[in-house]
Amino acid sequence: MPWKYSEKVLRLFTEAVQGKAGTHMGEIDHPDGFGEHGSIVCGDALRFSFRVARHPSDPARDVITEARYLTFGCTSAIASSEALCSLLEAGAKTPIEALQVTNRDLVDFLGGLPEEKIHCSVMGAEALQKAVIDWSRKRGVDLTGLLPPQELEGEEEGRLVCKCFSLTEPFLRRKIRELELRTIEEVTNATKAGGACGSCHYAPGGLQDLLGEIWGEAPAAEPPPAAEGAPGADRVSPYRLGKAVEAAIDEHIRPSLKAEGGDIELIDIKENLVYCRLAGACEACHGAQQTLRLLVESRLKDRVDDRLRVIEV
């Protein structure tokens, strides 16, 4: 489905993809802080790094001077990453002050995000926290009391609740409390948990059970019927998915490629994998991989289904 983005989201995304001066897509060699969140396998991933001006005597007073990211995701994921870097650099923040930047700050900076895309801003805030933890270990700064113990110790070893997106129980419990998530839909929008197959919605120890335990509410006796098009409902048929992908390519992707002397050929679709081949000037372009990921895949995610991944043939 098409998402309604603010003008600022679209501008930041376009400028980042074009590599315009002042944007932040890239990596820092030997960064002072580095963090990752998400998984390329799951469809969204962010690598975030920053460099500081070191204070001569007090590491806690280091100041972030440069921030960069590499994002595998949609329009809102890239725009949220740009927002994060801009907020940090413009504010001349210390890494400890950077911990105060929340996903709500990113959403406000962007002029809003669709509810279904809030997880993109959460992804940036999570990667930032991990980068600050990395900096603190390198510089010997004690973050005890500034972050919950489970964040400092890592949450990767907890029980897996959402297998589709590899999200653990400790992580989900923290985000439910931190963001005051009250419904399965809110949890999915903020974290993507349950956004693919939906099997963790009402499974024992799943999202509904976690919500009931955290907020002291009785779990639903029976799961409500899935609405058409909702996670867990019947998936779109291969035929309808194919037609939607073809329409998105013809209307929103091919014209942009042809303007640069290129074209695209749709080869096949298998579940959420879209196999494509670039043609014309785009075929031999050194930026072909970026074109597939940042233009083709991003627009298919926005216009058709954000679970889609583009594979070069």
Side-chain angles (χ1 to χ4, degrees):
M1 63 175 291
W3 305 107
K4 186 175 181 180
Y5 290 123
S6 69
E7 291 184 7
K8 193 168 187 179
V9 167
L10 295 175
R11 176 174 59 79
L12 288 175
F13 166 76
T14 302
E15 291 177 353
V17 171
Q18 293 174 342
K20 188 174 179 179
T23 56
H24 303 85
M25 188 178 292
E27 287 188 290
I28 295 175
D29 292 331
H30 309 296
D32 294 301
F34 174 82
E36 293 180 291
H37 185 73
S39 167
I40 290 179
V41 175
C42 301
D44 282 305
L46 170 62
R47 302 180 68 180
F48 175 76
S49 56
F50 65 77
R51 191 185 310 282
V52 299
R54 297 193 171 198
H55 191 274
S57 59
D58 185 1
R61 295 167 64 184
D62 289 353
V63 174
I64 295 175
T65 58
E66 183 181 8
R68 294 289 182 271
Y69 69 90
L70 285 177
T71 295
F72 183 91
C74 61
T75 299
S76 49
I78 292 171
S80 294
S81 301
E82 279 292 331
L84 174 61
C85 294
S86 296
L87 282 171
L88 295 178
E89 291 183 354
K93 296 181 182 295
T94 69
I96 292 176
E97 290 172 338
L99 289 175
Q100 300 173 12
V101 175
T102 67
N103 72 294
R104 175 48 54 187
D105 294 324
L106 301 182
V107 172
D108 291 343
F109 182 89
L110 293 170
L113 280 176
E115 286 299 317
E116 296 86 351
K117 293 293 184 178
I118 294 299
H119 65 268
C120 295
S121 62
V122 173
M123 185 167 64
E126 287 295 309
L128 168 61
Q129 287 187 358
K130 291 178 180 178
V132 172
I133 291 172
D134 179 55
W135 161 83
S136 72
R137 290 169 178 164
K138 292 174 179 175
R139 293 285 278 156
V141 176
D142 186 5
L143 296 181
T144 303
L146 297 175
L147 288 172
Q150 63 267 28
E151 292 183 52
L152 295 173
E153 296 167 3
E155 298 166 314
E156 293 78 7
E157 301 304 319
R159 178 178 66 88
L160 209 58
V161 175
C162 177
K163 296 180 179 178
C164 295
F165 295 105
S166 301
L167 300 175
T168 64
E169 179 179 347
F171 170 77
L172 290 172
R173 284 183 178 276
R174 175 167 64 85
K175 299 314 292 185
I176 288 171
R177 290 191 179 96
E178 178 184 314
L179 303 177
E180 297 187 354
L181 308 175
R182 298 282 178 168
T183 67
I184 289 177
E185 182 180 10
E186 289 176 350
V187 174
T188 300
N189 289 341
T191 68
K192 295 195 76 172
C197 72
S199 63
C200 63
H201 287 191
Y202 295 94
L207 301 184
Q208 185 61 55
D209 281 354
L210 293 181
L211 288 167
E213 291 174 17
I214 291 170
W215 303 120
E217 302 165 355
E222 295 290 340
E228 182 179 356
D234 291 339
R235 291 175 179 270
V236 175
S237 69
Y239 173 78
R240 289 177 59 193
L241 177 61
K243 299 298 287 185
V245 169
E246 288 177 352
I249 289 176
D250 288 341
E251 297 172 16
H252 304 287
I253 297 173
R254 182 168 283 118
S256 297
L257 296 177
K258 285 196 170 184
E260 302 296 331
D263 204 344
I264 187 170
E265 180 182 0
L266 176 61
I267 305 300
D268 198 4
I269 302 174
K270 295 180 180 179
E271 296 183 351
N272 68 325
L273 302 179
V274 180
Y275 295 84
C276 297
R277 177 185 297 125
L278 292 177
C282 295
E283 184 176 10
C285 175
H286 69 277
Q289 285 294 329
Q290 279 198 328
T291 298
L292 283 172
R293 181 167 65 86
L294 300 179
L295 173 65
V296 179
E297 182 171 274
S298 178
R299 291 191 180 178
L300 287 179
K301 283 175 175 285
D302 287 338
R303 299 286 174 177
V304 182
D305 189 322
D306 66 2
R307 293 169 293 189
L308 292 179
R309 290 182 56 205
V310 170
I311 306 297
E312 182 181 18
V313 177

